[in-house]
Amino acid sequence: MNAPACSIVLPVRDAAATLPACLASIRRQSIGDYEVVAVDDGSVDGSLEVLTFAARSDSRVRIVTTARLGLVPALNRGLREARSDIVVRMDADDLMRRDRLARQLTWLADRPSCTIVGSHVRLFPRRTLQAGYRAYEAWLNGMRDEAALRRSIYVEAPLAHPTIAFRKSAILAIGGYRDGAFPEDYDLYLRCYRAGLGFGVVPRRLLAWRDHPDRTSRLSKRYSRAGFNQLRVAALTTDPAITGRDIIVWGAGKHARRFVRACVEAGLSFSAWIDIAPAKIGQELLGRPILDVDGALARRRRHSLILVAVTNHGARQLIHARLSAAGLAWGQDFLDVGT
């Protein structure tokens, strides 16, 4: 049997309420050369029955059943079962736009150096969407090209996981998904970045991303601030483009302080802080002086790197404007980090 153009890896656990709509959105795709590798991770709510019904009427749906092992084992099992080298991620509570597969397959075909491509999203339902998720949606949808994705890699996951399509052989070569007390998608992106693999984003909303109180990112500790920081610290402090440079940190809030302390403990050195609060200027924090912007720019060496460690999106944009006006380049002279 010939391999399909892509394999949609769909982990499922207790998703009977949303799974029919998800599968219907896949059936409505403008291209039909795909398979659905549905990995039922020990569902007890009737999800397996929904999948069985779908498979009876559509031979492209293949069901893999496992014990209740968790998301990462389900994803890796799906990768092993996928017959195509192009894998498309999908979650059982989301909806694909009709042209998603066509656009992402074309993107990868036209760009052989690109390993992983995502898209923009629309979170729903809108009426219950909280401010934090609206801000995250806007940030994700601000990613327009590979340069933006790479500049943002140390903030958080710059591609929504269920939007991505990737080359399976390249992902397996770096170890597939890893399980641990951290977000599996962000870990994957950081390892792809470190391996020099190409990123891309189709700047269109190809996925309707469902928000609800029981979503894994709300309930699992792996998606906590500590889980993200574990990955950020390990990646940042071993990045050859960062280590060895004179580091100045803009932002001295409690989360930034905790993050920088962890980076220092992991071996990263830095020379100063930047703050705009007059009462803090001239003091020391973690043994380093707190400077105003002009003082830090005057002190800055030619190859210094400013880490922008603020969490407010609006503040980050103002900082970018100030540093750009001083002739510094985003991604080269200053870089955003999440805390």
Side-chain angles (χ1 to χ4, degrees):
M1 184 181 298
N2 292 331
C6 65
S7 297
I8 301 168
V9 172
L10 176 66
V12 177
R13 177 189 281 186
D14 296 340
T18 59
L19 187 54
C22 169
L23 293 171
S25 76
I26 295 173
R27 288 194 301 271
R28 288 194 295 268
Q29 289 300 293
S30 60
I31 64 171
D33 187 15
Y34 62 80
E35 66 171 355
V36 178
V37 182
V39 183
D40 183 75
D41 185 41
S43 294
V44 295
D45 72 336
S47 293
L48 184 56
E49 287 76 8
V50 173
L51 291 173
T52 300
F53 179 81
R56 285 173 180 164
S57 58
D58 189 342
S59 62
R60 296 171 298 183
V61 177
R62 292 199 292 123
I63 305 170
V64 179
T65 59
T66 70
R68 211 171 178 88
L69 300 177
L71 176 59
V72 172
L75 287 170
N76 283 327
R77 177 65 184 276
L79 290 187
R80 292 195 300 270
E81 295 285 344
R83 292 190 296 121
S84 175
D85 189 52
I86 303 299
V87 167
V88 176
R89 273 286 288 113
M90 186 61 178
D91 284 338
D93 51 359
D94 298 329
L95 307 173
M96 286 187 184
R97 301 302 185 187
R98 188 173 185 275
D99 57 345
R100 177 193 174 177
L101 295 185
R103 286 185 178 276
Q104 290 191 308
L105 290 179
T106 298
W107 183 282
L108 290 171
D110 290 346
R111 298 165 177 83
S113 63
C114 181
T115 294
I116 183 168
V117 60
S119 77
H120 292 175
V121 300
R122 179 170 177 79
L123 280 158
F124 77 103
R126 304 298 290 184
R127 60 182 176 79
T128 58
L129 202 57
Q130 297 178 358
Y133 276 97
R134 289 179 184 271
Y136 183 45
E137 178 192 59
W139 182 74
L140 287 172
N141 292 345
M143 303 296 159
R144 309 294 299 183
D145 53 30
E146 183 174 23
L149 295 168
R150 290 185 173 277
R151 287 193 301 258
S152 303
I153 195 67
Y154 287 122
V155 178
E156 55 185 297
L159 296 170
H161 194 195
T163 72
I164 65 172
F166 55 81
R167 302 184 196 277
K168 181 179 75 169
S169 54
I171 297 305
L172 290 179
I174 62 168
Y177 286 94
R178 291 198 311 162
D179 210 353
F182 47 75
E184 76 292 333
D185 54 344
Y186 191 38
D187 173 65
L188 180 69
Y189 301 155
L190 285 170
R191 285 185 290 122
C192 287
Y193 175 78
R194 185 63 178 270
L197 301 181
F199 287 87
V201 57
V202 179
R204 295 178 67 91
R205 297 184 178 192
L206 300 182
L207 185 91
W209 199 16
R210 189 187 302 270
D211 180 46
H212 55 83
D214 297 327
R215 63 184 293 172
T216 306
S217 60
R218 289 183 183 274
L219 301 179
S220 174
K221 290 183 179 180
R222 72 167 66 217
Y223 303 102
S224 66
R225 185 186 298 272
F228 277 94
N229 274 344
Q230 176 185 346
L231 296 175
R232 289 188 191 108
V233 169
L236 193 72
T237 56
T238 57
D239 187 336
I242 295 174
T243 56
R245 297 178 69 176
D246 174 49
I247 305 294
I248 299 172
V249 179
W250 188 325
K254 66 177 182 179
H255 295 307
R257 294 195 302 271
R258 186 179 299 121
F259 176 75
V260 172
R261 184 178 288 110
C263 287
V264 170
E265 291 172 352
L268 189 73
S269 61
F270 74 109
S271 63
W273 302 85
I274 299 176
D275 206 300
I276 61 172
K280 295 181 180 180
I281 307 304
Q283 297 186 26
E284 285 194 352
L285 184 60
L286 299 183
R288 299 293 185 269
I290 301 176
L291 309 173
D292 62 15
V293 182
D294 290 333
L297 292 176
R299 172 195 179 107
R300 179 182 175 274
R301 302 171 189 169
R302 181 179 179 184
H303 297 295
S304 293
L305 177 67
I306 297 175
L307 296 182
V308 180
V310 299
T311 56
N312 183 281
H313 291 280
R316 193 181 292 150
Q317 291 173 348
L318 292 174
I319 291 171
H320 285 194
R322 177 68 176 85
L323 295 177
S324 297
L328 275 61
W330 181 25
Q332 179 179 330
D333 302 312
F334 63 93
L335 195 64
D336 298 327
V337 294
T339 61

